[in-house]
Amino acid sequence: MSKKTITVRSLLEMKSAGEKICVLTSYDASFTRLVEEAGVEVILVGDSLGMVIQGQESTLPVTLDEMIYHTRNVARARDNSLLIADMPFMSYRSPGLAMESAGRLMKEGGAHMVKLEGGATQLEAIRQLASQGIPVCGHLGLLPQSVHKLGGYRVQGREKRDASLIREDARLLQEAGVDMLVLECVPDQLAAQVAKELSIPVIGIGAGPDCDGQVLVLYDMLGINPRPPRFVKNFLQSGRTIQEALHAYVDAVKSGEFPTAEHSFK
């Protein structure tokens, strides 16, 4: 278990010190206890629960009430980790609605930070949240809530123009007040550039080894999901217990051994 309570300031200090930040999803109390005991600093209640728990084809059907329910279950079991909750599809389509949704995730769910997807189009909502003292995590690259517009779960930022747009969006998000940024499924060199250019922690998922930390979906890294993304490594192998797999994940992130080129994109 972590020796100290993890805060937004803690994560900034870890980035400054070059210490990798370990993030993992969780959706219930039992797994949360194991995840935190393994040394994970940040727990994300992701709308990925729609796919790995509910069996949905995407994250889009997940409701705010469902996110609050799972966040509350995780909050009861966490001790020292920072708890982030995803804002589900269409729950932040205006600054006012974003305030209402974030408020419920924090007051009813117990989240410490909320996460939303998108770049320049979300700046007004982010500024509003930040002005009210609500910590925000941004999300760029592959945006699962925009899967239909993107035409599937594809790597983003390979073209020069697209890469420039992601870098610019990252800068704008930081200026608007986000405290952390998730980069999903982008080339490793692009992710390295963004992490270097921003002062806030940049967490990668399928974004190479040079981000300030890594996040995976719990069910993916335990091999429970029968169709995991190619950037995922199954840590529940070679006769490991779940606890051993979680410790192996933390150790691999902290040491920089994960992700390798096999789990990254060019």
Side-chain angles (χ1 to χ4, degrees):
M1 187 177 294
S2 301
K3 294 182 179 180
K4 65 176 183 178
T5 299
I6 302 299
T7 65
V8 171
R9 181 178 293 274
S10 303
L11 300 178
L12 287 171
E13 292 171 351
M14 291 175 70
K15 177 181 174 96
S16 179
E19 180 182 353
K20 296 292 187 180
I21 300 166
C22 193
V23 187
L24 198 59
T25 69
S26 186
Y27 316 99
D28 62 44
S30 296
F31 266 121
T32 295
R33 294 187 183 97
L34 297 179
V35 165
E36 193 168 66
E37 287 170 2
V40 171
E41 286 102 5
V42 180
I43 295 176
L44 170 63
V45 183
D47 58 3
S48 50
L49 67 88
M51 301 174 77
V52 299
I53 291 180
Q54 298 177 345
Q56 308 279 7
E57 290 297 319
S58 71
T59 64
L60 274 63
V62 177
T63 68
L64 181 61
D65 284 341
E66 289 168 342
M67 288 303 306
I68 292 170
Y69 168 79
H70 285 278
T71 302
R72 187 164 55 234
N73 290 339
V74 171
R76 291 192 189 105
R78 65 149 293 279
D79 188 12
N80 298 314
S81 56
L82 184 79
L83 177 56
I84 304 177
D86 267 343
M87 297 180 73
F89 180 61
M90 297 299 285
S91 69
Y92 50 97
R93 62 183 182 271
S94 70
L97 184 58
M99 284 292 297
E100 181 181 348
S101 300
R104 290 192 63 198
L105 283 167
M106 296 181 77
K107 292 177 66 175
E108 299 175 39
H112 304 132
M113 180 184 290
V114 296
K115 182 169 77 65
L116 52 78
E117 298 180 7
T121 57
Q122 305 301 340
L123 296 181
E124 189 176 351
I126 290 168
R127 291 190 190 102
Q128 183 69 16
L129 293 170
S131 73
Q132 298 301 312
I134 297 176
V136 181
C137 178
H139 187 145
L140 295 174
L142 173 61
L143 307 178
Q145 292 178 9
S146 301
V147 61
H148 296 308
K149 187 171 182 63
L150 295 174
Y153 298 97
R154 304 171 183 273
V155 178
Q156 303 296 308
R158 278 182 166 150
E159 299 297 324
K160 186 176 180 179
R161 179 181 177 277
D162 295 335
S164 296
L165 182 59
I166 288 173
R167 290 175 64 189
E168 176 65 8
D169 275 346
R171 182 185 66 80
L172 292 172
L173 290 181
Q174 177 173 268
E175 291 178 355
V178 299
D179 301 280
M180 181 187 295
L181 177 66
V182 169
L183 283 181
E184 181 169 0
C185 287
V186 301
D188 53 8
Q189 290 187 354
L190 172 59
Q193 281 183 310
V194 173
K196 184 177 180 180
E197 291 168 353
L198 299 189
S199 60
I200 59 173
V202 175
I203 308 300
I205 176 166
D210 295 317
C211 294
D212 301 306
Q214 299 292 327
V215 60
L216 284 178
V217 171
L218 175 67
Y219 286 27
D220 289 348
M221 56 80 62
L222 291 177
I224 297 173
N225 182 359
R227 295 181 297 173
R230 71 149 263 203
F231 57 77
V232 172
K233 177 179 179 179
N234 182 352
F235 285 86
L236 188 62
Q237 293 179 329
S238 305
R240 286 175 176 156
T241 64
I242 289 177
Q243 292 94 325
E244 290 169 341
L246 293 171
H247 279 279
Y249 169 69
V250 172
D251 290 344
V253 171
K254 289 293 186 181
S255 67
E257 294 177 6
F258 176 81
T260 61
E262 177 186 359
H263 306 105
S264 305
F265 299 101
K266 296 295 183 183

